[in-house]
C-alpha cells in the first residue's frame, strides 16, 4: 500500500507593512560561478503507475515518503527481513520500495526518501504515528537498515530524517505553553538527538547518498541555528527546506525581513539565504541546501479566500495556471544564482482531490486526470536546461545616500541644520523597491529622527535643536536610507561641537592607495592610507580605524523563554596612529565572514575631521 496522504503545513503570511518596518540589508545573495539546482519532483505514491508519468518529465530525483510504522508495525527487525515477516502488508511494501528504486534508476533518476513516523511499540503505545519515538536509537536502527537495503539495490540521492519536525503538524510533541499552536523548543532538542543517532547509524551504509536534516517548515533558520547549538555540526550532509508556501501569491523575488536589521523571513522564498547565513556563521559551508518542496497552488484566488495563516479570510489564495508556470521558471532562475542550493523538488506532480482545503489540491504540474497544466512544459524546459539559467531575483541593492549639510568638520555651538538626499537602486533586471525612509543617528547609535514615506530623489532637512546639548568635541553623524525591502545605505560625516570648533576649519582627506585595500591573508588583514591637508598646514592628532563584522547578536525577545537574534554590523576592533605619517593598520580578525573597515580623523584645530567610506570584504 502507498504511504498515506499528508496534510500540508500552514503558512503565516506576513503583512506587507512589515517591509517598511525592517532596516538594514541582509546581503545573502549568492556569489561565485552559477550552478543550477537539480530539478526534482514530489509524488503521491510508489506504485509503477504513479512513478511512470512523473519520470516521463525527465526529473532527476523523485521524492517519496517512507513510514516506519508501516514497515515495522509489530516489532523491531521486521524490516528488511520481509520474507519471514509476520505482517504481509509490511513485507509487500518493503519490496515495493526496492522495486521503486530500480524503476527510478532505469529512467536515469534517483529517489529521495523521507523517513518518518513511529509505530506504537516505539512511541509509548500511541496510535498517532507522528508522535516521535521515545528512544531515538530505535528509529536510528530502522533508518540505518532502510538505508543499507535500498542502497544495495540501486542508487539513492538522499535520505531525509523526518519531515517538518520544527512544527506541530509533523512532530506531535509537546506544545509551547506560552505560544499555543507552536511546538515547544524542548522538542527541537529531541529531534537533534534523533538526527545525530540516525546519521551515526546510517552513514557507513549511505555511500554517495546524502543524509540530510529533515525539511523545515518554510526556511526555518532559527531551527537550523538551534541544531548547531545542540552540537549537530557534522551530523548531516545537507539541510532541507520547504517553500511551497500555502496561500502564497507573491513571486520568488519578493521577500520580507524579521524586524529591524533582521534576516529574510522564514516564509519568504528567498529565506533559504538566511538558512545559508546560519550555516556559514557556524563555519559549515560544505553541506548544501535541498529545497525538497517548492510550489505555488493554481487556485487562481478561489473559489474561496485563503483559509490558512494570518491572511485567512482576508486574501485570495494561489495563482493562475499560467502564473504558476511563470513562477516555476523564475524560482529555478533564482536558485541558479546560489550554487549551494543543490536540489529543488516541485510539490507536486499531480493535482489531488483528497484535501478539504481546495488550495492544497492544485499544486500539480498536471490535473487529476493527468492533463498537462502550463507548469508541466515549464518544468520540462527547466529539466532540459539542467536547472535553468540564472535570472533576476530580488532587489538587494541599497539606495544611494548623500549628506548635503553639514560638511565634514563643521563647527557649531547651538542648533545644526542637517540635510540629506537619497535615491533607490536595484539589481540588474529588477525594478527598484522604492525609497521609504531616511533617518539620522549619532555615534553609531539608534536613529534620533526618521523621515518616513520619502520618495526617490527627495531631500529632507532637520533643524536639529538638540545638537546644542552635545558634549564639546568631535562627533560622527550618520544618515541611513532604506528602501521598501529593507536594503539600507549609510554615509557619515564628522561634526565638531563647541567654541573651539567654530573657527574656519581646514579641509582634510584620507587618501587610500589603489589596489587591494584592505588586503588579507586568511584573517590577518592590513589597511593602508594617509591623511592629507593643504601643503601649508601641519598635521596633528590621530587617524583611527574601525573594523566591523556582520554578526548575529542576541537581543531581548518579546516572548518569554524564547531567544531572538538579529544580524547587524558590529564593531569588533579599533585602532589609531599618529596623523603625521602614513598609516598601515594590521588586525587579526576575530571571526570568519563578512567584514568592513573605515578610517576616520577626528580633526585637530584648525584641521577639519574626515572619514572614508566603509570598504567591505570577506574572510574565511
Amino acid at each position: 500500500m502507498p504511504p498515506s496522504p499528508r496534510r500540508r503545513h500552514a503558512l503565516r503570511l506576513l503583512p506587507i507593512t512589515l517591509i517598511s518596518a525592517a532596516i538594514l540589508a541582509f546581503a545573502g545573495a549568492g556569489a561565485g560561478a552559477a550552478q543550477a539546482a537539480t530539478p526534482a519532483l514530489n509524488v503521491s505514491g510508489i506504485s509503477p503507475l504513479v512513478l511512470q508519468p512523473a519520470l516521463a518529465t525527465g526529473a532527476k530525483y523523485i521524492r517519496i515518503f517512507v513510514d516506519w510504522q508501516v514497515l515495522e508495525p509489530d516489532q523491531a527487525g521486521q524490516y528488511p527481513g520481509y520474507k519471514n515477516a509476520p505482517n504481509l502488508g509490511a513485507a509487500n511494501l518493503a519490496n515495493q520500495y526496492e522495486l521503486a528504486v530500480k524503476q527510478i534508476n532505469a529512467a536515469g533518476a534517483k529517489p529521495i526518501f523521507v523517513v518518518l513516523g513511529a509505530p506504537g511499540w516505539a512511541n509509548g503505545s500511541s496510535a498517532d504515528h507522528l508522535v516521535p519515538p521515545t528512544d531515538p536509537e530505535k528509529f536510528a536502527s530502522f533508518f540505518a537498515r532502510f538505508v543499507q537495503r535500498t542502497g544495495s539495490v540501486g542508487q539513492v540521492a538522499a535520505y531525509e530524517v523526518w519531515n517538518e519536525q520544527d512544527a506541530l503538524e509533523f512532530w506531535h510533541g509537546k506544545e509551547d505553553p506560552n505560544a499555543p499552536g507552536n511546538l515547544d523548543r524542548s522538542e527541537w532538542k529531541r529531534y537533534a538527538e534523533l538526527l545525530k543517532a540516525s546519521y551515526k547509524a546510517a552513514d557507513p551504509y549511505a555511500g554517495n547518498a546524502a543524509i540530510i536534516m529533515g525539511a523545515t517548515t518554510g526556511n526555518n533558520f532559527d531551527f537550523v541555528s538551534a541544531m548547531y547549538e545542540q552540537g549537530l555540526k557534522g551530523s548531516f550532509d545537507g539541510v532541507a527546506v520547504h517553500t511551497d508556501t500555502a496561500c502564497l501569491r507573491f513571486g520568488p523575488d519578493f521577500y520580507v525581513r524579521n524586524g529591524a536589521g533582521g534576516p529574510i523571513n522564514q516564509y519568504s522564498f528567498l529565506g533559504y539565504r538566511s538558512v545559508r547565513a546560519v550555516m556559514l556563521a557556524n563555519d559549515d559551508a560544505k553541506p548544501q541546501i535541498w529545497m525538497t518542496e517548492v510550489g505555488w497552488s493554481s487556485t487562481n484566488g478561489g473559489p474561496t479566500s485563503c483559509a490558512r495563516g494570518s491572511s485567512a479570510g482576508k486574501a485570495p489564495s494561489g495563482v493562475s495556471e499560467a502564473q504558476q508556470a511563470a513562477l516555476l521558471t523564475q524560482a529555478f532562475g533564482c536558485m541558479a544564482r546560489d550554487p549551494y542550493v543543490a536540489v529543488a523538488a516541485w510539490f507536486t506532480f499531480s493535482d489531488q482531490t483528497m484535501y478539504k482545503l481546495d488550495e492544497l489540491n492544485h499544486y500539480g504540474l498536471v490535473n487529476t486526470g493527468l492533463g498537462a497544466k502550463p507548469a508541466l512544459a515549464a518544468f520540462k524546459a527547466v529539466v532540459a536546461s539542467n536547472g535553468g539559467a540564472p535570472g533576476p531575483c530580488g532587489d538587494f541593492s541599497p539606495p544611494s545616500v548623500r549628506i548635503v549639510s553639514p560638511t565634514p568638520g563643521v563647527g557649531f555651538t547651538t542648533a545644526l541644520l542637517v540635510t540629506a538626499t537619497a535615491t533607490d537602486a536595484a539589481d540588474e533586471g529588477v525594478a527598484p523597491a522604492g525609497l521609504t525612509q531616511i533617518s539620522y543617528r549619532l555615534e553609531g547609535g539608534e536613529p534620533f529622527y526618521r523621515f518616513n514615506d520619502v520618495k526617490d530623489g527627495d531631500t529632507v532637512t532637520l533643524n536639529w535643536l538638540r545638537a546644542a546639548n552635545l558634549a564639546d568635541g568631535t562627533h560622527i553623524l550618520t544618515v541611513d536610507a532604506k528602501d521598501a525591502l529593507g536594503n539600507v545605505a549609510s554615509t557619515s560625516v564628522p561634526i565638531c561641537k563647541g567654541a573651539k570648533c567654530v573657527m574656519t576649519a581646514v579641509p582634510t582627506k584620507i587618501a587610500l592607495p589603489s589596489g587591494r585595500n584592505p588586503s588579507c591573508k586568511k584573517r590577518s588583514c592590513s589597511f593602508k592610507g594617509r591623511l592629507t591637508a593643504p601643503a601649508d598646514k601641519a598635521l596633528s592628532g590621530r587617524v583611527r580605524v574601525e573594523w566591523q563584522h556582520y554578526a548575529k547578536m542576541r537581543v531581548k525577545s518579546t516572548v518569554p523563554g524564547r531567544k531572538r537574534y538579529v544580524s547587524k554590523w558590529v564593531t569588533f576592533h579599533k585602532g589609531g596612529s599618529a596623523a603625521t605619517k602614513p598609516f598601515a593598520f594590521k588586525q587579526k580578525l576575530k571571526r570568519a565572514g563578512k567584514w568592513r573597515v573605515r578610517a576616520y580623523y577626528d580633526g585637530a584645530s584648525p584641521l577639519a575631521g574626515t572619514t572614508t567610506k566603509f570598504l567591505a570584504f570577506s574572510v574565511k
Side-chain angles (χ1 to χ4, degrees), residues 85-209:
N87 187 304
L88 295 180
N92 290 335
L93 185 56
N95 188 47
Q96 286 182 42
Y97 280 114
E98 295 172 22
L99 293 175
V101 174
K102 295 177 181 178
Q103 181 183 359
I104 293 170
N105 285 174
K110 300 177 185 179
I112 300 172
F113 287 118
V114 190
V115 184
L116 79 166
W121 59 264
N123 70 357
S125 300
S126 174
D128 180 356
H129 70 274
L130 292 179
V131 172
T134 55
D135 181 0
E137 295 294 341
K138 292 180 180 179
F139 179 92
S141 174
F142 165 74
F143 183 77
R145 283 181 276 119
F146 185 84
V147 170
Q148 183 180 22
R149 182 67 184 182
T150 51
S152 70
V153 298
Q155 294 184 322
V156 177
Y159 300 88
E160 283 183 65
V161 182
W162 216 272
N163 178 72
E164 297 186 14
Q165 62 284 337
D166 57 325
L168 276 169
E169 185 147 3
F170 281 90
W171 184 278
H172 292 177
K174 179 182 176 183
E175 188 174 12
D176 186 346
N178 298 313
N182 294 314
L183 191 65
D184 190 86
R185 293 298 179 94
S186 64
E187 295 292 333
W188 290 7
K189 182 178 180 181
R190 289 184 65 189
Y191 174 75
E193 295 169 349
L194 185 80
L195 177 57
K196 187 173 184 178
S198 299
Y199 188 87
K200 181 179 179 181
D203 184 53
Y205 310 110
N208 292 326

Side-chain angles (χ1 to χ4, degrees), residues 280-493:
L280 295 179
N282 285 277
D283 294 324
D284 202 18
K286 185 176 180 180
Q288 293 180 300
I289 288 177
W290 293 58
M291 192 177 290
T292 52
E293 289 183 16
V294 53
W296 281 260
S297 175
S298 62
T299 52
N300 199 27
T304 59
S305 63
C306 176
R308 299 192 287 165
S310 62
S311 292
K314 303 175 185 177
S317 64
V319 297
S320 69
E321 290 188 358
Q323 288 172 324
Q324 183 189 45
L327 293 173
L328 184 156
T329 302
Q330 187 180 2
F332 274 90
C334 281
M335 292 179 286
R337 296 168 62 92
D338 298 314
Y340 53 81
V341 182
V343 175
W346 184 263
F347 181 87
T348 185
F349 172 65
S350 173
D351 282 353
Q352 302 294 324
T353 59
M354 67 183 77
Y355 299 113
K356 293 182 180 179
L357 296 178
D358 185 61
E359 165 248 317
L360 298 177
N361 291 320
H362 297 276
Y363 281 89
L365 301 176
V366 299
N367 59 33
T368 54
L370 299 185
K373 295 161 64 177
L376 178 62
F379 183 80
K380 288 183 175 180
V382 166
V383 172
S385 60
N386 296 316
C393 193
D395 173 15
F396 286 90
S397 294
S400 59
V401 56
R402 181 172 65 90
I403 297 175
V404 179
S405 66
T407 56
V410 69
F412 63 96
T413 57
T414 56
L416 182 65
L417 201 65
V418 182
T419 302
T421 184
T423 303
D424 195 20
D427 293 5
E428 183 179 357
V430 179
L435 194 69
T436 61
Q437 185 183 88
I438 294 177
S439 58
Y440 299 151
R441 54 193 172 93
L442 197 65
E443 323 291 16
E446 293 297 316
F448 61 82
Y449 198 87
R450 295 182 176 91
F451 292 93
N452 295 315
D453 300 321
V454 294
K455 307 300 181 184
D456 284 6
D458 281 359
T459 298
V460 295
T461 299
L462 169 68
N463 186 18
W464 186 18
L465 299 176
R466 294 187 178 181
N469 299 329
L470 295 177
D472 285 358
T474 300
H475 303 272
I476 302 297
L477 174 67
T478 299
V479 177
D480 301 315
K482 178 176 70 67
D483 70 13
L485 290 173
N487 299 306
V488 175
S490 302
T491 187
S492 300
V493 61

Side-chain angles (χ1 to χ4, degrees), residues 198-232:
S198 299
Y199 188 87
K200 181 179 179 181
D203 184 53
Y205 310 110
N208 292 326
I211 298 175
I212 58 181
M213 185 188 302
T216 65
T217 307
N219 298 287
N220 195 342
F221 54 87
D222 195 18
F223 176 83
V224 176
S225 181
M227 294 302 100
Y228 283 108
E229 291 174 5
Q230 292 297 323
L232 265 290

